[in-house]
Amino acid sequence: MCTCITYENGDFYFGRNLDLDVSFGEAVTITPRNFPLDFSRTGKMERHYAMIGMASANKTFPLYAEAVNEKGLAMAGLNFPGNAFYREPDGKGLELASFEIIAWILGKCASVEEVETFLADMKIINLSFAPQMPAAPLHWMLADRRKCLILEAVEEGLKVYENPFGVLTNNPPFPFHQMNMGNYLNLTSKSPENRFSGRLDLKPCSQGMGALGLPGDASSPSRFVRAAFLKWNSVSEPEEKADVSQFFHILDGVAMTRGAVVTEQGTYDITLYSSCINARTGVYYYKTYEDSRLRRINMHQADLEEKRLLTITG
């Protein structure tokens, strides 16, 4: 279970909570412009835009969970089991494996508008990175400061939705989340007015009652609504420290506490890490479940002409 959001307040920010019951070997990874990206069906990208994000650490290919490139285009993959459908490769169209799509899009495109020119021909295919790493069932949020899209590879094909909320969680598919948001249009961050009856003297008994009914459970639909409410009612000074702090406060509002969500296997989902990326500056901030100190990595302080992946640990 995961939650991804955008936030614009002077600068444009993109990030997420990564919620799992086990680490996937994650490390902040910079892909310099000259690291060769070798795709299974579309050949090798010898030179491309540089990018930074959290990836499963390996030296051969950046398996990004989320990332932003040097042009300010950002993308994240979120768990989508039961709905994700990957086609068998047949040599037709633009075929990308689920683990390749973030690196391909961020390596090649500078904006959502550029990505849109490829989507009609794009297919997500059923290929695994390694025998012990089966293809993860995912859907994706793609955004720059002008536009946000959701990509869902389902049995009918690759569905693309414009996302006015700048929020994504997990199942059900995005059209459900769009419809479900209409159930909460009465919520407000302000003190509520009495609309029950003009003949009754009803008053709120505490602060915050305008959002009575805001869901507080950890399910994907509830986290979608709660993240959207927190984001769209958020107030912070338009400067980096305040914006980054506010971004993490929003993510904290939908984070997983160990023990609150028990999986069918008897394990505990937790928020392994939370991230926030300034898409303009290429600065990646993150914290982990065990260490709430914010770490800061600036992509542009690295040698972006390198030919090897740069992994930052600790």
Side-chain angles (χ1 to χ4, degrees):
M1 295 192 289
C2 302
T3 305
C4 184
I5 64 171
T6 62
Y7 186 65
E8 186 169 3
N9 190 45
D11 269 338
F12 176 71
Y13 302 87
F14 182 98
R16 59 102 58 82
N17 285 341
L18 195 292
D19 306 320
L20 275 177
D21 59 347
V22 64
S23 169
F24 60 94
E26 63 275 7
V28 179
T29 301
I30 297 172
T31 303
R33 300 178 188 114
N34 292 310
F35 175 79
L37 293 169
D38 198 359
F39 298 97
S40 55
R41 295 283 165 164
T42 61
K44 187 175 287 189
M45 203 181 285
E46 296 282 0
R47 185 168 171 86
H48 46 76
Y49 295 124
M51 61 195 85
I52 184 172
M54 193 71 79
S56 178
N58 74 86
K59 296 180 180 179
T60 60
F61 194 88
L63 300 172
Y64 280 118
E66 84 283 338
V68 66
N69 70 15
E70 60 186 297
K71 296 297 183 180
L73 181 63
M75 191 170 184
L78 288 83
N79 204 25
F80 195 48
N83 288 297
F85 182 87
Y86 303 148
R87 303 192 173 281
E88 295 303 316
D90 60 9
K92 298 177 183 178
L94 174 57
E95 296 184 324
L96 294 167
S98 60
F99 65 85
E100 297 175 327
I101 186 171
I102 292 180
W104 192 92
I105 285 177
L106 298 190
K108 193 172 187 68
C109 300
S111 66
V112 171
E113 185 178 14
E114 281 190 31
V115 179
E116 288 179 301
T117 65
F118 295 101
L119 293 178
D121 200 36
M122 188 178 291
K123 292 188 294 184
I124 312 303
I125 55 174
N126 186 26
L127 287 180
S128 300
F129 179 72
Q132 69 274 21
M133 296 177 65
L138 302 173
H139 60 173
W140 296 269
M141 188 158 93
L142 170 71
D144 58 24
R145 71 185 310 154
R146 297 177 184 83
K147 197 170 188 179
C148 182
L149 298 180
I150 302 301
L151 310 183
E152 293 185 339
V154 294
E155 195 163 359
E156 296 80 12
L158 182 62
K159 299 290 187 179
V160 181
Y161 306 99
E162 192 161 345
N163 181 1
F165 309 109
V167 172
L168 184 62
T169 55
N170 312 101
N171 292 326
F174 186 69
F176 172 90
H177 293 296
Q178 286 180 297
M179 181 183 68
N180 188 48
M181 283 293 290
N183 293 325
Y184 299 94
L185 54 83
N186 222 24
L187 300 186
T188 176
S189 60
K190 299 177 182 178
S191 185
E193 299 176 2
N194 174 18
R195 290 187 287 183
F196 190 91
S197 172
R199 294 176 292 173
L200 294 173
D201 185 23
L202 300 176
K203 296 178 181 179
C205 63
S206 75
Q207 296 292 339
M209 292 188 68
L212 199 64
L214 181 67
D217 63 272
S219 70
S220 301
S222 294
R223 282 184 288 109
F224 190 106
V225 175
R226 195 160 69 256
F229 182 84
L230 295 173
K231 168 188 167 170
W232 287 101
N233 289 286
S234 180
V235 177
S236 64
E237 291 297 319
E239 57 92 16
E240 184 77 352
K241 185 176 180 180
D243 284 340
V244 171
S245 173
Q246 190 75 348
F247 194 99
F248 281 103
H249 280 301
I250 295 168
L251 291 180
D252 286 344
V254 289
M256 300 285 177
T257 301
R258 182 179 283 120
V261 178
V262 183
T263 70
E264 293 178 354
Q265 293 74 36
T267 57
Y268 305 116
D269 271 344
I270 63 169
T271 298
L272 286 177
Y273 71 85
S274 302
S275 66
C276 170
I277 316 170
N278 185 319
R280 179 181 63 85
T281 64
V283 175
Y284 185 97
Y285 302 89
Y286 76 102
K287 64 178 182 176
T288 68
Y289 190 88
E290 303 297 347
D291 189 348
S292 60
R293 294 175 299 171
L294 289 187
R295 297 163 172 84
R296 179 184 184 275
I297 297 105
N298 188 338
M299 173 171 65
H300 294 283
Q301 290 179 349
D303 181 1
L304 297 184
E305 296 299 328
E306 267 275 15
K307 295 183 178 181
R308 61 185 179 89
L309 289 178
L310 307 175
T311 301
I312 297 95
T313 57

